[in-house]
Amino acid sequence: MTYRDTYAAWQADPEAFWMQAASTIDWDRMPSMALFAENAPFYDWFADGMVNTCWNAVDRHVAAGRGDQAAIIHDSPVTGTVQHITYHDLRDRVALLAGALRARGVTKGDRVIIYMPMIPQALEAMLACARLGAIHSVVFGGFAAHELAVRIDDAAPKCILAASCGIEPGRVVHYKPLLDSAIEQARHKPDFCVIFQREQEVAHLTEGRDLDWHGFQADAEPADCVPVEGNHPAYILYTSGTTGQPKGVVRATGGHLVALNWTMKNIYDVAPGDVFWAASDVGWVVGHSYICYGPLIHGNTTIVFEGKPVGTPDAGTFWRIIAQHGVKAFFTAPTALRAVKRDDPDGEFIKKFDLSGLKAVFLAGERADPDTIIWAQNKLGVPVIDHWWQTETGWAIAANPLGLDKLPVKIGSPSVAMPGYDVHVLDEGGHPVAAGQLGAIAIKLPLPPGTLPTLWNAADRFRKSYLDHFPGYYETGDAGYVDADGYLYIMARTDDVINVAGHRLSTGAMEEVLASHPDVAECAVIGISDALKGQAPLGFLCLTKGVDRPHDQIVKECIALIRDRIGPVAAFRLACVVDRLPKTRSGKILRGIMAKIADGAPFKPPATIDDPAILDEITDALKQLNLAAKP
């Protein structure tokens, strides 16, 4: 079936479409129907089915006689190791870990936080939770103690599974002190922690609380898979909110299985047994959907990569891995390709490897700039497919579905809406706008299987964040337009969440940290254009009256504060001291105008501005940072 036929089939009978997709999953009890709408606008999918994610991602492939196929290839240039784990080995490892957790009292519905780098044990931890029906929440290994503490308090985990350290080029990141500090700061205390000791750093274990990964499993009995309801939460994944409090996106088990399995063939065009590589991190949604769950549910081999696009050891790492392991479909962020292109503009490294097995490159996480797409197309000679989705949706809203039929690529567009997504572009009043006209992108409810049904313990916030603005729709928070052919173009965020190297970070959270500095009276953080990362944060600091310390000292302290409270992932390196901030008469800070000044883009001061002279002061301050060049 072509894309048009498939989308039309979904439109004509969504119930039949999703029940057919559900038939590809092993259910302990088949659901009686797909959509459960009695609590609209809160929707459930496959709610009365019984199913287990780990069985579908691991055991069923062993049962089908494919236990000797590699499930995971761990390729770690930072440690110089490559490890293959078969489906058979993975089942045994996960069942034993689940058994050890069960023996310590972890059961269906308990939360477990996972704080690990890109090692196979991170996936084993996720799958062991899924095996028991426990709800995991993976926290990116680079996050600071404060951020981890906030998530501990929100999720209230029974236990935490962590590694002793992460390894970055040239340095070891000490996870255990961050974990200890987070538990100290958190009001909720886990019953126990299990620490995987890496040889690069053996961490001190706290007596009575911390257990060694291997020792903890020594006497365990392997656990069987526990069937859970189709609407039972599989995981919670925290994403930046516009306030400093992160939002716990919930993923329901049944829809997650059905949707991800559907995407592997229809969007990414891989068959069971093919090698699929998403160069991301398990702490982000791409790592959940396309390092761990999607490829394994579908019976692919997935690559867990512990390294960087450049510097581990060079800009040829991606191509070496693709050639060495026979990768068929490769998924990365535009920022990673930009880094490779910057180091190797002529593609000399690409010429050194046999990439004949690579059939397509997929980009997501931020807007893919045309230069990077054209460079990759020319150098690799394969389709380079931009697609668009969010932490909240868990899989592509818009894509070019290579497994159905390769649609013409329009550079700058993630192509067309996938089945399940009825995408509309609306004006402020919620009315559809004409083709080619910019507006707010919204999706008619219900959202498809695999998307968030709610936020963890925050149903009111779910409504307020996504449903209230446009009744009957999910508000994506992105602005853009649809062209005459139905291709979608994403132009900007409609709020103040910025996108740094594919990571959505809240400027509001950064402002809260800066405002905690004793010398800072008021502040604002904006996103400025960054050739490598897409966006980078820039802080404006208004000092408390009477402060006469050197400005550069205060700026340094503020940069250190963000690094400590939010983590290096914020990439916060630029700040300047200003007398005052431009505001509307109602007191709203004009962040968008400041970002345009910093980028040297044309702007028109709004009629509501309090004092236009402030814009000249901002321009002068930015020139000191070599920004605000006139267009």
Side-chain angles (χ1 to χ4, degrees):
M1 274 174 86
T2 65
Y3 161 73
R4 300 281 170 209
D5 291 343
T6 305
Y7 195 83
W10 162 71
Q11 282 180 307
D13 193 346
E15 186 71 19
F17 182 90
W18 289 118
M19 285 303 280
Q20 168 61 37
S23 69
T24 63
I25 294 300
D26 281 9
W27 298 85
D28 292 82
R29 182 176 74 215
M30 191 73 188
S32 64
M33 56 184 184
L35 181 65
F36 289 71
E38 58 270 22
N39 296 319
F42 294 86
Y43 295 91
D44 282 321
W45 291 94
F46 314 113
D48 64 355
M50 296 296 289
V51 71
N52 183 276
T53 296
C54 187
W55 171 270
N56 278 281
V58 185
D59 300 61
R60 71 165 171 166
H61 306 308
V62 179
R66 299 202 7 258
D68 291 338
Q69 180 197 316
I72 296 169
I73 299 171
H74 181 226
D75 192 306
S76 171
V78 293
T79 60
T81 58
V82 175
Q83 179 189 11
H84 291 69
I85 299 170
T86 66
Y87 272 101
H88 194 283
D89 292 342
L90 184 61
R91 182 199 61 189
D92 292 351
R93 289 163 73 144
V94 169
L96 194 64
L97 177 57
L101 290 169
R102 183 183 60 189
R104 299 283 305 199
V106 175
T107 59
K108 176 186 167 188
D110 286 339
R111 273 82 59 215
V112 176
I113 279 184
I114 299 168
Y115 188 63
M116 286 193 162
M118 286 295 289
I119 53 178
Q121 288 76 15
L123 275 67
E124 290 164 19
M126 295 164 80
L127 292 162
C129 291
R131 198 171 188 86
L132 298 174
I135 303 164
H136 66 67
S137 186
V138 182
V139 178
F140 176 67
F143 264 167
H146 169 73
E147 293 290 330
L148 179 54
V150 169
R151 287 152 175 78
I152 291 170
D153 280 336
D154 196 70
K158 178 106 171 182
C159 67
I160 298 177
L161 306 180
S164 58
C165 66
I167 298 155
E168 296 281 330
R171 71 188 181 105
V172 172
V173 183
H174 316 291
Y175 282 13
K176 187 59 172 39
L178 292 170
L179 176 63
D180 291 342
S181 172
I183 293 172
E184 199 177 302
Q185 291 176 43
R187 293 184 303 279
H188 172 86
K189 309 296 179 190
D191 290 2
F192 63 97
C193 299
V194 186
I195 309 299
F196 178 72
Q197 299 279 24
R198 302 192 72 182
E199 62 187 56
Q200 289 78 11
E201 175 166 280
V202 177
H204 170 75
L205 301 186
T206 303
E207 190 80 29
R209 185 194 74 195
D210 297 343
L211 303 162
D212 172 74
W213 183 270
H214 296 294
F216 155 77
Q217 298 181 57
D219 302 321
E221 287 290 314
D224 288 331
C225 295
V226 176
V228 301
E229 296 79 9
N231 61 352
H232 179 72
Y235 68 75
I236 304 162
L237 179 57
Y238 288 93
T239 183
S240 296
T242 41
T243 69
Q245 182 67 20
K247 294 186 285 201
V249 169
V250 173
R251 197 79 63 212
T253 300
H256 180 235
L257 283 162
V258 172
L260 291 184
N261 196 53
W262 185 88
T263 64
M264 293 306 296
K265 174 70 185 95
N266 292 291
I267 295 177
Y268 301 106
D269 197 23
V270 288
D274 287 340
V275 181
F276 182 88
W277 179 22
S280 179
D281 189 284
V282 286
W284 312 118
V285 70
V286 173
H288 283 60
S289 293
Y290 294 112
I291 296 174
C292 185
Y293 290 114
L296 296 178
I297 292 162
H298 195 246
N300 292 101
T301 297
T302 188
I303 291 183
V304 173
F305 169 62
E306 190 179 22
K308 301 283 182 199
V310 296
T312 59
D314 51 41
T317 301
F318 279 177
W319 322 126
R320 190 266 304 164
I321 289 174
I322 289 167
Q324 186 174 332
H325 304 305
V327 173
K328 185 178 177 188
F330 175 50
F331 180 152
T332 190
T335 190
L337 278 192
R338 281 197 291 269
V340 172
K341 173 174 164 246
R342 190 184 66 182
D343 274 25
D344 184 23
D346 298 327
E348 293 302 325
F349 279 110
I350 294 171
K351 297 170 193 165
K352 295 181 181 178
F353 298 99
D354 176 6
L355 303 180
S356 56
L358 180 68
K359 299 304 177 199
V361 173
F362 292 86
L363 300 175
E366 65 198 306
R367 205 157 162 254
D369 57 293
D371 283 359
T372 300
I373 293 179
I374 293 163
W375 178 85
Q377 278 177 347
N378 291 344
K379 301 297 180 205
L380 296 168
V382 298
V384 177
I385 304 297
D386 185 18
H387 60 329
W388 171 61
W389 45 295
Q390 303 178 320
T391 301
E392 290 86 348
T393 67
W395 61 284
I397 302 167
N400 193 329
L402 293 192
L404 292 171
D405 52 349
K406 183 174 177 285
L407 301 172
V409 170
K410 293 191 183 190
I411 289 176
S413 168
S415 300
V416 292
M418 289 297 93
Y421 293 101
D422 183 4
V423 177
H424 294 248
V425 182
L426 307 175
D427 64 19
E428 266 303 300
H431 311 294
V433 301
Q437 196 177 327
L438 195 67
I441 300 171
I443 301 161
K444 204 165 189 343
L445 296 174
L447 291 177
T451 57
L452 84 170
T454 188
L455 294 172
W456 182 253
N457 287 341
D460 286 347
R461 189 175 182 195
F462 173 72
R463 264 184 204 268
K464 191 161 168 271
S465 298
Y466 304 108
L467 308 181
D468 283 355
H469 194 163
F470 300 118
Y473 293 88
Y474 163 85
E475 183 186 4
T476 66
D478 282 304
Y481 63 92
V482 173
D483 74 8
D485 299 325
Y487 278 63
L488 191 60
Y489 291 77
I490 312 300
M491 303 312 293
R493 287 296 296 166
T494 52
D495 61 14
D496 286 318
V497 172
I498 63 168
N499 196 320
V500 180
H503 308 322
R504 283 179 60 198
L505 297 165
S506 166
T507 53
M510 291 186 215
E511 288 172 3
E512 284 180 20
V513 172
L514 294 178
S516 72
H517 188 288
D519 294 345
V520 174
E522 190 178 29
C523 62
V525 175
I526 61 168
I528 60 169
S529 296
D530 182 286
L532 185 62
K533 293 176 185 287
Q535 281 186 299
L538 166 65
F540 294 90
L541 312 171
C542 299
L543 303 185
T544 308
K545 204 169 178 188
V547 171
D548 56 4
R549 297 170 59 225
H551 289 181
D552 59 353
Q553 184 58 38
I554 295 167
V555 165
K556 268 188 199 145
E557 289 164 9
C558 285
I559 289 169
L561 209 52
I562 296 264
R563 190 179 175 88
D564 179 51
R565 302 266 191 89
I566 293 175
V569 70
F572 186 89
R573 299 188 187 97
L574 283 179
C576 58
V577 173
V578 293
D579 281 343
R580 51 199 184 140
L581 297 171
K583 295 178 184 177
T584 61
R585 291 191 188 92
S586 64
K588 190 174 182 327
I589 297 170
L590 295 167
R591 291 179 184 82
I593 296 283
M594 293 197 291
K596 283 185 170 152
I597 295 171
D599 290 339
F603 66 91
K604 186 170 166 243
T608 54
I609 190 166
D610 190 24
D611 181 355
I614 301 176
L615 298 180
D616 293 330
E617 296 167 19
I618 295 292
T619 304
D620 291 340
L622 287 167
K623 282 179 178 164
Q624 303 297 310
L625 296 172
N626 294 319
L627 296 167
K630 290 289 179 220

